[in-house]
Amino acid sequence: MQYLHFFSCISMLLLCSGMCRALACEVNDANKGIAITIEVSKSGEGQFETIQSAIDSIPPSNSQWTRIRISPGIYKEKVTIPQDKPCIFLEGAGTKLTSVEWDAHADTASSTTFASNAEDIIVKGITFKNTYNRPYDLSMASDSVSLKQAVAVGVLGDRTVFYNCSFLGVQDTLWDAYGRHFFQNCYIQGGVDFIFGNGQSIYENCVLRYSFGDYATSYNYGYLTANGRGSADDPSGFVFRRCRVIGKGTAYLGRAWNAFSRVIFVDSFLSDVVAPEGWWAWNHVGHEAFDCEVTYGNNKVAGSIYISKSGRGNFKTIQSAIDSIPPWNSQWIHIRISPGIYREKVIIPQEKTCVFLEGFGRKSTSIEWDDHEDTAASPTFTSIADNIIVKGITFKNTYNRPMDVMDVNKDNLTQAVAARILGDKSVFYHCAFMGVQDTLWDDHGRHYFHKCHIQGGVDFIFGNGQSIYEKSIIKYSIGDYGLNRSYGYITAHGRASADDPSGFVFNRCAVIGLGKAYLGRAWNTFSRVIFTNSWLSDVVEPEGWWAWNNVGHE
Ligand SMILES: *[C@@H]1O[C@H](CO)[C@@H](O)[C@H](O)[C@H]1NC(C)=O
Ligand SMILES: *[C@@H]1O[C@H](CO)[C@@H](O)[C@H](O)[C@H]1NC(C)=O
Ligand SMILES: *[C@@H]1O[C@H](CO)[C@@H](O)[C@H](O)[C@H]1NC(C)=O
């Protein structure tokens, strides 16, 4: 089952060897993962007539997946899953049929129609409403604002998932309070701060509907989100992906409830309801932090440099262009590199921030070198600065190529890195990384790779990066050389402790090639690599992973 599988993967801490082993809740394979099912029906046809009485019947510290199936109906009750009742799967008959409604509003924390306080909770196909501020048109008729915090759902437990649910309210509809949460295909409606809190959450394929316009109030602005992140090392934040923001009137995407509020909208449709400014700093006006300044009207770039091997640009080598940028530059500098093979070693030092390096496509602009003395000295391209964007360039280490000259029985491969990324906030679009052993050293920091091609045979994506690879081709190349090597390794991740946030996520990628390769080997005891929504060809070893020095500690 899709949702149980998702769970087993997010609850994994150690290397996940094919089947994930650290399950927070026991599954019963004979019964599609569910150990116990309890039926709730208002008409008396189930074991219970209220949802709360079904929850109360589950023993504390329950460790088996327990499904509470809720028949169609409007359940007028306040529902709480207490902290000591994990592993519950609350399943309604769909948002149009099963609804839970209440109207508390005395204070924010106690106003929840549904409060989920335990870990490992799945909710599906239910509408949750706080009806207090509704019908809103009556209370707003005189302009005397009587709006109150009235929460529909509060989510306070870790590892909680909502599929196909609706959240209806006006102010503070969804209190995404604490923990890691996933919302998919949900509908969330409100006017003020209607998704708020300190959750570390992903919202996917959701509809956010700003409802103030419906009531024709004199409110000029509403706020979709109010995230409460309080410090730079607080991991919380809201990510909205493939979502739709709709409604009438005007709303900010969010206001900064705290000094480090973090909300991201990506690949989403934002209708005219979104205020052009996007965000409001609230109590933090004047403290907005931009890593790199953008200049409007000039392609959002402050400076532009053109590199051409033929001498028609500002520079003939990439390194000389980078050297020309003033240290601790804080405005986006655009370096365009005309087609050609640039035989040079390139370094972006730590103080050359805010650089956008753009080639003419990875088939046209290539940077190549062949160092191999030791891993650290070998990279063709090294990027140490924060806030770097790279687009349309191939990075190659040519040392181990052509491999066909190698003695097939003598494994004389050596570490020869094409690119090493050490800076934080670095993004690569439409790039290629070519090598054989240790091609891409995704060393430290948060990185994003989109539509890239990464090729190699041994540990060819390795390091301690905290990175997302999307829509990329991962090509295992050993088979191309007819080399009779029994196994290769795509990744070697170096996560060393349970609180190290690093990890590689491959989403919508394709793993191709000839021969056989493991998805990864555990370079360290907490190595973390996840392949999701990806196509894995026959090149992938059926066992998936190799624990390397950590055999027995999976
Ligand atoms: C949610 O609803 C969509 C559309 O009706 C359906 O395709 C999907 O399978 C549902 N999700 C789950 C987890 O049941
Ligand atoms: C690998 O070894 C073979 C045979 O000894 C030699 O011909 C070849 O040049 C070596 N290749 C590399 C990349 O060192
Ligand atoms: C590769 O090596 C294995 C074991 O050393 C051997 O059994 C196999 O026949 C070899 N395959 C080829 C294509 O040389």
Side-chain angles (χ1 to χ4, degrees):
M1 279 179 141
Q2 184 204 345
Y3 31 93
L4 292 181
H5 176 72
F6 173 78
F7 249 94
S8 56
C9 284
I10 59 172
S11 51
M12 162 197 80
L13 275 178
L14 285 169
L15 178 81
C16 180
S17 297
M19 267 293 290
C20 306
R21 287 163 203 200
L23 295 185
C25 304
E26 290 158 42
V27 297
N28 178 334
D29 288 333
N31 196 16
K32 289 188 175 167
I34 305 291
I36 301 158
T37 294
I38 303 172
E39 304 282 350
V40 176
S41 162
K42 278 175 72 77
S43 60
E45 284 155 19
Q47 288 142 279
F48 296 96
E49 290 184 17
T50 68
I51 303 164
Q52 191 61 53
S53 54
I55 292 168
D56 292 345
S57 76
I58 297 171
S61 310
N62 164 53
S63 67
Q64 294 190 307
W65 277 114
T66 303
R67 168 165 55 190
I68 299 180
R69 202 149 43 192
I70 310 163
S71 300
I74 296 174
Y75 293 77
K76 289 206 196 289
E77 53 172 316
K78 225 165 133 46
V79 176
T80 301
I81 297 182
Q83 210 178 345
D84 63 352
K85 303 236 171 140
C87 309
I88 293 178
F89 171 22
L90 226 49
E91 185 180 28
T95 50
K96 293 201 172 83
L97 297 173
T98 301
S99 174
V100 185
E101 308 188 0
W102 200 252
D103 64 352
H105 57 275
D107 63 80
T108 313
S110 69
S111 71
T112 51
T113 298
F114 171 54
S116 185
N117 298 328
E119 294 179 352
D120 301 302
I121 300 296
I122 303 174
V123 185
K124 189 182 142 184
I126 303 178
T127 289
F128 299 96
K129 263 191 207 175
N130 187 314
T131 54
Y132 176 69
N133 289 306
R134 298 156 55 91
Y136 194 67
D137 43 0
L138 298 180
S139 58
M140 287 303 292
S142 67
D143 230 21
S144 60
V145 180
S146 60
L147 201 58
K148 277 209 169 76
Q149 286 92 342
V151 176
V153 172
V155 194
L156 290 87
D158 198 19
R159 296 186 303 255
T160 298
V161 181
F162 287 84
Y163 294 109
N164 295 8
C165 286
S166 288
F167 304 86
L168 304 177
V170 181
Q171 181 162 3
D172 293 2
T173 308
L174 174 54
W175 183 20
D176 186 347
Y178 305 103
R180 291 165 295 172
H181 310 147
F182 181 59
F183 297 84
Q184 194 181 57
N185 295 330
C186 290
Y187 175 92
I188 308 148
Q189 175 170 311
V192 177
D193 305 339
F194 64 92
I195 304 171
F196 76 107
N198 271 68
Q200 183 181 354
S201 302
I202 295 178
Y203 293 78
E204 223 170 41
N205 285 318
C206 290
V207 174
L208 278 62
R209 182 154 185 284
Y210 176 66
S211 62
F212 264 180
D214 301 356
Y215 311 115
T217 73
S218 60
Y219 256 86
N220 290 325
Y221 284 105
Y223 312 95
L224 270 51
T225 66
N227 180 264
R229 185 164 173 259
S231 70
D233 57 1
D234 177 347
S236 73
F238 301 154
V239 175
F240 295 89
R241 191 149 193 255
R242 302 202 175 97
C243 290
R244 289 164 53 77
V245 179
I246 59 169
K248 280 191 229 156
T250 308
Y252 287 102
L253 291 171
R255 54 177 177 175
W257 189 19
N258 231 322
F260 290 83
S261 292
R262 178 160 60 181
V263 178
I264 296 168
F265 281 83
V266 58
D267 294 336
S268 290
F269 169 76
L270 308 181
S271 77
D272 283 352
V273 79
V274 175
E277 309 95 288
W279 310 92
W280 184 42
W282 202 354
N283 296 322
H284 306 283
V285 170
H287 298 274
E288 298 91 339
F290 294 101
D291 286 341
C292 302
E293 291 159 41
V294 295
T295 316
Y296 291 99
N298 183 24
N299 228 352
K300 300 190 165 74
V301 166
S304 220
I305 300 173
Y306 191 58
I307 302 170
S308 161
K309 281 172 71 79
S310 68
R312 270 174 293 179
N314 309 91
F315 295 95
K316 286 188 182 177
T317 68
I318 300 161
Q319 192 61 52
S320 55
I322 290 166
D323 293 346
S324 77
I325 297 171
W328 306 113
N329 161 58
S330 67
Q331 298 193 311
W332 281 111
I333 305 281
H334 188 189
I335 301 182
R336 285 200 305 147
I337 311 167
S338 62
I341 296 174
Y342 292 78
R343 287 193 207 284
E344 51 173 318
K345 254 169 103 86
V346 176
I347 295 183
I348 303 182
Q350 196 179 5
E351 68 278 10
K352 301 288 169 94
T353 52
C354 306
V355 172
F356 172 21
L357 219 53
E358 186 177 21
F360 272 73
R362 64 180 183 229
K363 294 206 171 86
S364 304
T365 301
S366 179
I367 307 176
E368 308 188 359
W369 202 252
D370 65 349
D371 261 350
H372 59 275
E373 286 75 25
D374 64 77
T375 315
S378 74
T380 300
F381 174 67
T382 304
S383 183
I384 308 172
D386 293 346
N387 298 301
I388 300 296
I389 303 175
V390 183
K391 190 176 165 194
I393 301 177
T394 286
F395 300 94
K396 259 191 209 175
N397 187 315
T398 55
Y399 177 67
N400 287 307
R401 299 155 57 88
M403 280 273 293
D404 45 5
V405 303
M406 299 183 83
D407 180 342
V408 291
N409 298 310
K410 225 197 221 159
D411 194 351
N412 59 356
L413 268 185
T414 193
Q415 288 93 339
V417 176
R420 179 183 185 190
I421 325 297
L422 292 118
D424 198 20
K425 292 174 280 198
S426 299
V427 181
F428 292 80
Y429 295 105
H430 303 270
C431 287
F433 301 89
M434 310 294 281
V436 181
Q437 180 162 0
D438 291 3
T439 308
L440 174 55
W441 191 354
D442 186 348
D443 193 345
H444 272 101
R446 292 165 295 170
H447 309 147
Y448 179 63
F449 298 85
H450 187 79
K451 293 197 174 164
C452 289
H453 176 106
I454 307 152
Q455 176 166 321
V458 177
D459 305 337
F460 63 93
I461 305 172
F462 76 108
N464 267 70
Q466 182 181 354
S467 302
I468 295 177
Y469 294 78
E470 246 173 9
K471 295 188 177 167
S472 292
I473 307 274
I474 314 296
K475 178 159 189 241
Y476 177 66
S477 61
I478 295 281
D480 297 358
Y481 308 115
L483 192 65
N484 192 9
R485 193 193 162 92
S486 37
Y487 291 112
Y489 311 96
I490 293 165
T491 65
H493 190 257
R495 184 163 173 261
S497 70
D499 57 1
D500 177 346
S502 72
F504 299 154
V505 175
F506 295 86
N507 186 36
R508 290 166 206 266
C509 290
V511 180
I512 60 168
L514 292 175
K516 282 285 174 206
Y518 287 99
L519 290 171
R521 55 177 176 174
W523 189 20
N524 232 319
T525 37
F526 290 82
S527 291
R528 177 158 62 179
V529 178
I530 296 168
F531 280 83
T532 175
N533 300 322
S534 290
W535 189 73
L536 308 181
S537 77
D538 282 352
V539 78
V540 175
E541 252 307 302
E543 305 98 292
W545 310 91
W546 184 42
W548 203 356
N549 296 322
N550 303 298
V551 170
H553 299 277
E554 297 91 340

